[in-house]
Amino acid sequence: MAELVTQHPSGGYILEELQVGMTAEKIIPVTEQRIQQFAEASDDFNPVHMDEAFASKTAYRGRIAHGLLSASFGSAVVGTILPGAGAIYISQTLQFHAPVRIGDDVVVRISVVSVDPESARVELDCEGFVAGKLIMAGVATVRVPRRRRPAKD
């Protein structure tokens, strides 16, 4: 049974606090502004993302968000909620199942699948949904701190 968690009071969970089944979710709206900013940041101005006239003639029948924009929402959860501050991505697999459009709310769900105390690595199941429909899935491996930094005086 998944245990839904919120951000740790310190900003991040340390390795010893993580358990299989811990899950975090975040809802992120896909907006015109996010698509524009992602295009600028990634230098990906593919007209299927940017030009309605072009995109309306494709199999998608209109503009869709960059797949990696939706995937980056997983990073928002990993870096701020579960495991949170201090987690460092090692790897990520991704499969895209459905397009995401402006106006969609992406629900990102991250769940702990395994914890390796030797390597301080955690395997996370990563999923994204729009209106209950799976739009992306994958597995991330992240390195997690073993202890918190002491508070500064």
Side-chain angles (χ1 to χ4, degrees):
M1 178 76 182
E3 174 198 351
L4 202 57
V5 299
T6 56
Q7 184 182 49
H8 191 280
S10 73
Y13 292 87
I14 59 172
L15 188 71
E16 293 77 9
E17 295 168 329
L18 294 171
Q19 297 176 12
V20 171
M22 292 172 77
T23 301
E25 289 185 355
K26 185 172 182 130
I27 301 169
I28 303 177
V30 176
T31 63
E32 174 68 39
Q33 182 181 15
R34 281 189 202 272
I35 290 173
Q36 290 288 341
Q37 290 172 330
F38 190 83
E40 290 287 336
S42 65
D43 209 29
D44 178 355
F45 294 93
N46 182 333
V48 77
H49 308 305
M50 310 303 293
D51 180 343
E52 185 62 42
F54 175 90
S56 67
K57 296 180 179 94
T58 68
Y60 298 106
R61 302 283 179 243
R63 288 174 62 196
I64 60 171
H66 302 75
L68 290 179
L69 171 61
S70 297
S72 74
F73 299 160
S75 182
V77 176
V78 169
T80 66
I81 304 173
L82 184 67
I88 301 295
Y89 261 95
I90 304 296
S91 67
Q92 172 78 57
T93 63
L94 278 172
Q95 301 87 39
F96 296 102
H97 298 281
V100 175
R101 300 181 187 280
I102 295 168
D104 285 346
D105 288 327
V106 176
V107 177
V108 178
R109 183 179 303 141
I110 304 291
S111 302
V112 176
V113 232
S114 69
V115 179
D116 182 356
E118 291 265 322
S119 66
R121 292 183 182 192
V122 177
E123 195 174 68
L124 304 168
D125 188 43
C126 307
E127 296 175 310
F129 301 88
V130 170
K133 180 178 181 183
L134 183 69
I135 55 109
M136 66 181 175
V139 175
T141 301
V142 298
R143 185 168 168 77
V144 180
R146 295 179 191 272
R147 64 189 67 82
R148 291 191 182 83
R149 288 188 174 159
K152 293 183 179 174
D153 295 332

